[in-house]
Each structure stands twice: as structure tokens, then as C-alpha cells.
Amino acid sequence: IDFDLILEKVKDLNVLAGEGISQIEHTPGGARLRQPEPLPLTLYQNGIVMFNGPFRPYEDPSTQQSLQDIMDGYFPSELQMHYPDGI
């Protein structure tokens, strides 16, 4: 696993997703600025944890696909249904 490449690509994806840019959220009484919600991703020597969910070993095909998506410069395809505009 090329951790440096993964971290570089995650930083690039964060910029694409608008990291540090507030969004306007309309409320009944007006509007307020809101920061996008981050998606926790923890890298371990032998696997990952995403969303504070279960540990996923690198040997798992879905983990490999998610990391390959990131290394290719894309948001993980498994997140597209929940986050169609990216996260």
C-alpha cells in the first residue's frame, strides 16, 4: 500500500469537495454558513476504518476497490449513492 499516494490523493479530493469553504444553508428564519461534514478515514498497517465503521483489511476486495478509486483520483464508488455530489 502506497500510503503517501493515498494521503496525497485524499488531500486533492478534499480540495475538490470544497474543504475549508462554507456553504449556505437556508433555515426557516434566514440562512447560516455550514462546513461540509468530513468522512473519517483511518489507515492502519493492515486495513482501514471508514465512517467509524468496521475494520476492513486490505485483502478485502471492497477495500481494494475503494483505495484504488482514491489512488486514481476519484471518490470511492461505494459512497456515490450516499454522497452523489462527493464528500
Side-chain angles (χ1 to χ4, degrees), residues 1 3 6-7 10 41-49 58 67:
I1 301 294
F3 292 107
I6 291 172
L7 293 175
V10 165
L41 172 64
T42 306
L43 302 171
Y44 293 97
Q45 183 176 354
N46 57 348
I48 67 170
V49 173
Y58 291 128
L67 292 177

Side-chain angles (χ1 to χ4, degrees), residues 8-74:
E8 177 185 327
K9 294 297 182 172
V10 165
K11 287 179 187 178
D12 293 344
L13 290 170
N14 285 342
V15 170
L16 281 175
E19 179 180 54
I21 299 174
S22 297
Q23 299 173 346
I24 297 174
E25 179 180 347
H26 296 283
T27 62
R32 65 180 178 166
L33 293 177
R34 179 180 64 82
Q35 293 286 328
E37 289 291 319
L39 182 145
L41 172 64
T42 306
L43 302 171
Y44 293 97
Q45 183 176 354
N46 57 348
I48 67 170
V49 173
M50 197 177 337
F51 286 113
N52 299 318
F55 177 80
R56 298 168 53 180
Y58 291 128
E59 294 80 22
D60 183 86
S62 68
T63 304
Q64 291 177 10
Q65 181 62 51
S66 289
L67 292 177
Q68 189 61 54
D69 288 345
I70 291 170
M71 290 187 290
D72 289 343
Y74 299 105

